């Protein structure tokens, strides 16, 4: 889930998504947001752009727990 989206940001979306459908979500952003905000909203992990290569290990770990 990217933080910068039109209409509502990813953190707001995550806060509405997780209570209705508890699925694992990894937040990815280049914005200077606090990773704890994403985790508090229900994300299982946070990856800072441009370190997107690291997202594959995060996704693999998340998929192991589904």
């Amino acid at each position: 889930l990217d933080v910068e989206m039109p209409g509502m940001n990813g953190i707001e979306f995550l806060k509405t998504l997780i209570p209705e459908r508890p699925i694992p979500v990894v937040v990815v952003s280049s914005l200077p947001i606090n990773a704890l905000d994403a985790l508090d909203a229900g994300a299982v992990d946070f990856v800072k752009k441009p370190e997107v290569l690291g997202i594959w290990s995060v996704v693999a770990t998340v998929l192991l727990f589904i």
Side-chain angles (χ1 to χ4, degrees):
L1 175 66
D2 199 342
V3 172
E4 192 170 331
M5 301 184 336
M8 88 169 53
N9 73 36
I11 301 300
E12 293 168 352
F13 177 75
L14 190 57
K15 288 179 182 178
T16 59
L17 172 72
I18 294 300
E20 293 191 22
R21 177 169 264 172
I23 59 172
V25 175
V26 176
V27 173
V28 180
S29 182
S30 62
L31 298 175
I33 69 158
N34 188 341
L36 290 177
D37 291 338
L39 297 174
D40 287 344
V44 296
D45 210 337
F46 177 87
V47 177
K48 179 99 171 120
K49 287 181 187 175
E51 300 167 19
V52 178
L53 292 179
I55 196 169
W56 298 117
S57 64
V58 171
V59 169
T61 303
V62 168
L63 290 175
L64 289 174
F65 293 101
I66 294 180

